[in-house]
Amino acid sequence: NIYTGNVPVDNDSVRKTSLANGRYYGTGIEDSSRQQLDILCIDNHCDINLGDLAFSTCVKLTGNPFWGGVAVARNVNEDSLDNFDLGLFCVQPGELEVDIDN
């Protein structure tokens, strides 16, 4: 099942927003975990976040069984939403957050 939610948008904004905006839920193909995909597009450019309580790739790399990481893509052209790369950022042992900008 897929759930689509609304993303709040500033009513005073004159920017073009997208029908792709929303929150989507699905199942990971490697380990059948529940994943959450958030898409926010403004002016034909999209930010995408993919969350999973335990990315199996991060678990294998770090040994952390939960809150393993986040996958992100920034400034994706809306016309490319069917073909883009996500960067996977894994939380390192002993850490509680990851800096996706460095």
Side-chain angles (χ1 to χ4, degrees):
N1 294 339
I2 296 177
Y3 166 77
T4 305
N6 294 326
V7 175
V9 177
D10 180 357
N11 290 333
D12 296 328
S13 175
V14 294
R15 295 179 178 170
K16 176 186 168 237
T17 59
S18 169
L19 293 176
N21 288 345
R23 175 168 287 166
Y24 307 89
Y25 295 98
T27 303
I29 59 172
E30 287 185 10
D31 58 7
S32 300
S33 61
R34 182 173 182 206
Q35 296 183 335
Q36 174 180 312
L37 179 70
D38 294 306
I39 301 175
L40 177 61
C41 301
I42 298 174
D43 291 337
N44 203 38
H45 292 91
C46 304
D47 288 346
I48 300 149
N49 298 325
L50 178 63
D52 187 324
L53 287 178
F55 274 108
S56 57
T57 302
C58 287
V59 172
K60 290 175 190 172
L61 292 172
T62 67
N64 286 342
F66 297 104
W67 309 112
V70 63
V72 298
R74 295 290 182 257
N75 205 28
V76 174
N77 188 298
E78 191 169 356
D79 294 333
S80 299
L81 285 177
D82 62 343
N83 185 19
F84 63 92
D85 293 325
L86 285 166
L88 179 60
F89 299 86
C90 299
V91 177
Q92 297 302 308
E95 298 293 324
L96 297 176
E97 59 185 35
V98 62
D99 183 0
I100 64 169
D101 295 318
N102 293 319

